[in-house]
Amino acid sequence: MQEDSVTRNAAFAFAAKMVGAVLTAALTIFLGRNLSEQAYGAFAFALSVGMLVSLVSDLSISSSAQRFVSERRDDLEGAADVVRISLRAKVLLAFATSAALFAVAVPLCDVFGVPEAVWAVRGVAVSACSETLFLFVLATFVSLARIRYNALIAFCESAVEVSASVVLVLLGAGAGGAAFGRAIGYAVGLVVGLVLLGRLLGSLRRAPQARRPNAVTREQILRYAAPLIAVDVAFRLFESIDVLLIAAILGSAEKVAAFELPMRLAAFLDYPVAAISSAVAPRLARGSSGPDVRTFVAALRLTTIIQLVWVAPLLVWPETIIHLLFGDKFPEAPGVLRALVPFVVLAGIAQLVTVSVNYLGEGRRRVPIAIAMVTINVVIDVTLLPTLGVVAAAIGTSVAYIVWVPSHILILNRSAGVPIRPVVVTTLRGLVAAGAMSAVLLALGTGDLPLWRILAGAVAGPLAYAAALVVTRELRRQDARDLQDLLRRRRGPAVP
């Protein structure tokens, strides 16, 4: 069986991401409109706690396994050995950590002053067990360059999660219902994923093949996972610390909701480029063909252009966006969304560059960067939250990413020879294009706009952005042909 080309992998990754994005966006809008500010804040608090707990349920085993699976994607038996070893360890960790979180839900919520979040935390505890294994399965298909399976898995998980959550919330279960709906979705998605993975790799319960020269050992997986633990600790702390500090310093579930809703909206805006990352990042692994730098550079340029298109609407129309999606329940949310502009742009680029460093085998070099990122965020939050409110958390998040992403590009430059100048040039030209798009949106007005102006901006704004890219010569006719040639390439021999 031959691995899929970059084109097919990117297409299937895009399909998987967009299926999840559309359904999850619909669920987020539903929850934002149907849960009270306090209930949504309780749900957001539970998700942040679950993010921290997921660290213990994984211990970076997934990140380490991705590297070894990717290096063996031309040898499915060797890849199966890696998956079996990793999966056994993850199952034990997942069950233990989920049970512990369920047990301490009451005192944990009391400490942070959000007692209304107890059942939401318990629901997240149940979902965390399935979620960590579900994400491991998705990552395995990415590492094997067979992302076509992920589209079906993502659809099953998202469809069930949305359906279960909507029903439970409408029945009056509140934040707890949203959390348990999430648990049901991940459980179904995991079952589907394990079935498909078993069909590709064979039985996942059979012992690893003995004396195979290219089979990885548990010690090798854990050894590479060790430095990645520090990165995962820092990153998961980074993803949850804002909500925890808002709850601790401002003491309000409503404030948590005002921050978390824009953050969840921002997360949807990097889904298209996440598809590119899933298809390209594994090709920087030092396998038999070596790092594919040319494809990576083309993907990085495309990713930068796509992400910069969000600058104008988030800067000029944050009030319009929040009012259209969630109504007037969250008056502080537009300011948060505007402050998240640098984060949104860089988060999409991070989807590609950070994972690529792992595949390159340079995970240890990410540790000091991760520590710096979290430190910057915490210092800004603690200093500014009492005076600026929830907007301070968004500022801290954006500043931290300004350190996080360029640092990874430097690692790729030094370890794989990824050139920096083209990235800088593309960024500058993209900012010029974003300025042109901003001018168009400003001309249509700001604030609570009528629908026809919003639709006009949705058409005229991107056209102005694309026109500016052509004028600055960032987009040329040759680009389409070059990119098409790159995406048609396959790496590695056929797998019997």
Side-chain angles (χ1 to χ4, degrees):
M1 182 186 296
Q2 195 174 39
E3 69 177 62
D4 291 333
S5 67
V6 179
T7 302
R8 283 175 58 81
N9 276 319
F12 282 115
F14 181 78
K17 292 290 184 182
M18 292 314 297
V19 164
V22 170
L23 292 175
T24 305
L27 178 59
T28 299
I29 295 171
F30 170 82
L31 295 177
R33 286 184 170 273
N34 288 272
L35 292 178
S36 66
E37 297 94 318
Q38 188 178 47
Y40 192 89
F43 178 60
F45 173 81
L47 292 180
S48 295
V49 171
M51 179 63 65
L52 286 179
V53 169
S54 66
L55 169 69
V56 183
S57 66
D58 183 58
L59 291 181
S60 299
I61 292 172
S62 295
S63 298
S64 178
Q66 286 178 46
R67 173 200 171 184
F68 292 108
V69 170
S70 181
E71 291 176 348
R72 291 160 178 79
R73 65 177 178 270
D74 298 332
D75 172 18
L76 293 185
E77 290 186 10
D81 288 351
V82 179
V83 172
R84 292 187 194 102
I85 294 170
S86 304
L87 197 55
R88 287 191 182 95
K90 283 187 61 64
V91 167
L92 293 175
L93 288 170
F95 276 100
T97 52
S98 294
L101 178 58
F102 194 97
V104 303
V106 172
L108 178 68
C109 292
D110 287 341
V111 167
F112 282 93
V114 283
E116 64 272 21
V118 169
W119 278 104
V121 170
R122 286 175 174 168
V124 167
V126 175
S127 73
C129 183
S130 300
E131 181 180 1
T132 185
L133 300 173
F134 172 83
L135 295 176
F136 174 79
V137 171
L138 292 185
T140 299
F141 283 122
V142 171
S143 299
L144 289 169
R146 291 168 175 85
I147 305 177
R148 59 184 180 273
Y149 298 100
N150 285 0
L152 175 60
I153 300 171
F155 173 77
C156 292
E157 187 281 323
S158 298
V160 173
E161 179 185 348
V162 171
S163 301
S165 298
V166 168
V167 170
L168 290 173
V169 170
L170 291 178
L171 289 175
F180 277 98
R182 181 183 178 89
I184 295 170
Y186 276 119
V188 172
L190 174 61
V191 171
V192 175
L194 289 175
V195 169
L196 293 175
L197 193 59
R199 288 183 177 180
L200 178 64
L201 298 180
S203 174
L204 299 176
R205 291 182 291 182
R206 188 173 65 245
Q209 299 293 326
R211 299 186 180 88
R212 287 178 50 85
N214 64 340
V216 70
T217 65
R218 180 176 58 187
E219 288 70 26
Q220 286 176 290
I221 295 174
L222 295 178
R223 192 179 305 121
Y224 189 62
L228 296 180
I229 291 176
V231 177
D232 278 352
V233 167
F235 194 75
R236 292 172 199 252
L237 183 61
F238 173 80
E239 290 192 320
S240 58
I241 194 63
D242 291 306
V243 167
L244 299 180
L245 286 175
I246 290 170
I249 295 174
L250 301 181
S252 168
E254 291 86 347
K255 298 288 186 182
V256 170
F259 172 78
E260 184 64 13
L261 266 176
M263 278 295 295
R264 288 180 68 81
L265 178 61
F268 301 137
L269 302 183
D270 61 22
Y271 272 44
V273 296
I276 298 173
S277 171
S278 298
V280 174
R283 296 168 189 270
L284 273 192
R286 291 188 170 110
S288 58
S289 304
D292 188 352
V293 176
R294 185 185 174 198
T295 301
F296 177 84
V297 172
L300 181 57
R301 177 168 171 260
L302 178 61
T303 296
T304 303
I305 291 173
I306 292 174
Q307 285 307 106
L308 285 170
V309 78
W310 303 119
V311 170
L314 297 186
L315 275 179
V316 180
W317 281 3
E319 294 86 0
T320 305
I321 295 169
I322 295 297
H323 177 80
L324 178 67
L325 296 179
F326 306 112
D328 298 321
K329 288 195 295 185
F330 308 97
E332 294 177 279
V336 172
L337 191 58
R338 182 176 282 118
L340 286 174
V341 168
F343 167 75
V344 169
V345 174
L346 292 170
I349 298 172
Q351 293 274 355
L352 178 63
V353 300
T354 58
V355 178
S356 296
V357 171
N358 279 354
Y359 281 115
L360 197 59
E362 299 289 345
R364 186 180 300 273
R365 299 178 65 178
R366 301 179 64 196
V367 175
I369 308 170
I371 295 172
M373 174 185 67
V374 174
T375 302
I376 291 168
N377 195 27
V378 170
V379 169
I380 292 176
D381 282 6
V382 171
T383 304
L384 299 181
L385 272 173
T387 55
L388 297 183
V390 292
V391 173
I395 294 172
T397 298
S398 290
V399 173
Y401 254 60
I402 291 172
V403 173
W404 176 248
V405 175
S407 298
H408 281 79
I409 295 176
L410 287 176
I411 293 176
L412 293 170
N413 170 256
R414 294 168 183 170
S415 300
V418 173
I420 292 178
R421 185 179 180 278
V423 179
V424 174
V425 172
T426 295
T427 301
L428 293 175
R429 291 172 175 171
L431 288 173
V432 171
M437 184 175 178
S438 297
V440 171
L441 299 187
L442 279 170
L444 290 168
T446 59
D448 186 9
L449 299 177
L451 183 59
W452 74 267
R453 292 198 179 195
I454 296 174
L455 295 176
V459 174
L463 288 176
Y465 183 78
L469 289 176
V470 172
V471 170
T472 60
R473 297 186 56 79
E474 182 57 38
L475 289 182
R476 302 177 298 273
R477 291 183 180 178
Q478 185 62 33
D479 288 334
R481 290 190 289 268
D482 290 345
L483 187 58
Q484 188 177 35
D485 290 341
L486 286 171
L487 294 178
R488 283 175 175 170
R489 296 164 61 198
R490 293 182 185 268
R491 282 187 54 191
V495 179

